[in-house]
Every structure is written in structure tokens, then in C-alpha cells.
Amino acid sequence: MAELNRADGDHVDEGDDEAEVERSETEHLENVEDGCGCTEIWEHLSDQRAED
């Protein structure tokens, strides 16, 4: 089975469930409200990075 690399550097096996892969690619935006704009998303991501 071939391994693929996602943009964040994690390895994904071809056999992984597509929904699981998609969820892991968007989980960093879970606390962002629907309909917010680029500025709100940027602020949210910036705050998350500051906490790490």
C-alpha cells in the first residue's frame, strides 16, 4: 500500500477512510463560526499557534 503525504507532513495510507482524512485536514477550524471572514480565521489560527 502506498503512503501519501498531506500538506501538514502527516502520512496517509491510501486505504484510509476519506471522511477521516478530510476531518483531520479541517479540525483546526472546528471553533471558527460559519460565515466568518478571512480576518476571523487568521486571528483564530494565530491564537492557536500562540497557545502552542
Side-chain angles (χ1 to χ4, degrees), residues 2 4 7 11-14 19 22 25 27 29-32 35 37-38 40 42 45-48 52:
L4 305 173
H11 296 287
V12 177
D13 290 332
E14 274 185 312
E22 184 177 334
E25 290 177 350
E27 67 186 14
L29 298 173
E30 285 179 358
N31 296 324
V32 176
C38 295
E40 290 87 359
W42 184 86
L45 294 174
S46 180
D47 290 345
Q48 279 187 332
D52 292 339

Side-chain angles (χ1 to χ4, degrees), residues 1-16 18 21 25:
M1 195 174 282
E3 285 189 5
L4 305 173
N5 286 320
R6 294 194 328 223
D8 63 4
D10 286 346
H11 296 287
V12 177
D13 290 332
E14 274 185 312
D16 283 348
E18 289 182 30
V21 172
E25 290 177 350

